[in-house]
Amino acid sequence: MPDHGSLKSINIGKVQVLNQTIKTGLLKSPIHENEIILVTDSNLFGDEQADLINHGGPDKAICVYSYDHYSYWEEALKTPLPLGAFGENFTVHGLTEKDVLIGDVFQIGEAIVQVSQPRQPCYKLAKRFNKELLPLIISNTGYTGYYLRVLNPGKISLNDSLTFLDRPSHNITVAFVNEIKYLDKENKEAIEKLVQLQELAENLRNSFSKRL
């Protein structure tokens, strides 16, 4: 079970125009320390997504990224990074892709959430940092971040602790799903296992099923 991990920042943002052409909800800012945010079934109240097909919704309600990766990207991108730099709603200490399992359950404030799938980096990150191959680089490192589904909506704040509640019986991490999705693409045994993994988001299970 993850015995470390804490919430560093809660980030939200409205849809904005990036580079004068691209509508995106990627540009998020941290809320104030005492500010209270409502977690709904599909997102954080006050947060917006421009592409509602690929972002938001029940299995992608909250995006999480580990602050543990920030120093790597600051060196790679040669720039300091603000909190929420990767468009994540929760910036966390610890709880990297190798630490959490698909299906892990956490509580923050009144809300109960569950890890549902890795985050798939998109071209808008490349545009934000002016690095065309950034989504591919993120995929190859496995530093993708991941999504949470909401099991119980409720109010949260930065003063609330992030508490581990439950872990499924399997040992499939977010990092393992990334490995099969991006690197070990022909691993039939692993793909079959992921197709049967009920805690994994349905759209991703369907995508793996098509590979078979």
Side-chain angles (χ1 to χ4, degrees), residues 1-210:
M1 296 184 182
D3 57 0
H4 64 287
S6 60
L7 192 62
K8 184 173 179 64
S9 179
I10 300 172
N11 316 297
I12 62 174
K14 300 292 187 181
V15 171
Q16 300 180 49
V17 178
L18 181 65
N19 294 349
Q20 299 183 326
T21 57
I22 302 169
K23 287 187 176 181
T24 179
L26 180 67
L27 306 174
K28 302 188 188 302
S29 301
I31 66 170
H32 300 300
E33 184 175 346
N34 296 317
E35 191 173 349
I36 296 174
I37 294 289
L38 178 63
V39 177
T40 74
D41 289 325
S42 57
N43 64 5
L44 301 185
F45 186 80
D47 190 47
E48 293 182 350
Q49 296 82 33
D51 178 2
L52 295 178
I53 295 177
N54 295 305
H55 302 284
D59 282 330
K60 298 180 179 179
I62 299 170
C63 183
V64 181
Y65 203 78
S66 179
Y67 191 71
D68 296 43
H69 301 323
Y70 266 61
S71 59
Y72 175 89
W73 292 118
E74 286 181 334
E75 183 174 344
L77 297 170
K78 301 294 189 292
T79 184
L81 297 174
L83 292 170
F86 297 91
E88 75 270 20
N89 300 114
F90 290 173
T91 310
V92 296
H93 281 299
L95 300 178
T96 70
E97 296 80 1
K98 292 181 179 180
D99 297 320
V100 298
L101 301 186
I102 301 295
D104 273 351
V105 179
F106 296 87
Q107 180 165 3
I108 171 175
E110 298 174 350
I112 298 176
V113 295
Q114 182 181 44
V115 178
S116 57
Q117 68 181 99
R119 185 251 191 99
Q120 180 172 331
C122 74
Y123 74 97
K124 293 179 182 179
L125 277 169
K127 295 296 185 183
R128 176 175 190 178
F129 293 107
N130 196 29
K131 194 173 182 66
E132 184 178 355
L133 296 179
L134 184 58
L136 178 62
I137 297 170
I138 292 174
S139 300
N140 287 340
T141 61
Y143 299 164
T144 59
Y146 48 91
Y147 285 108
L148 305 175
R149 62 172 63 93
V150 177
L151 303 182
N152 185 74
K155 296 176 182 178
I156 65 171
S157 77
L158 196 56
N159 294 320
D160 294 321
S161 59
L162 187 61
T163 306
F164 177 77
L165 293 184
D166 194 25
R167 165 153 282 187
S169 57
H170 63 75
N171 62 351
I172 298 176
T173 63
V174 171
F176 179 79
V177 179
N178 277 333
E179 181 181 349
I180 303 306
K181 181 174 175 62
Y182 297 115
L183 303 176
D184 193 9
K185 298 180 180 181
E186 305 300 322
N187 189 331
K188 184 178 179 182
E189 181 180 352
I191 293 171
E192 288 176 341
K193 186 183 296 186
L194 294 179
V195 168
Q196 299 300 319
L197 186 62
Q198 292 304 306
E199 295 91 348
L200 187 62
E202 183 179 10
N203 72 304
L204 194 49
R205 282 189 280 125
N206 290 339
S207 175
F208 281 124
S209 183
K210 290 177 182 178

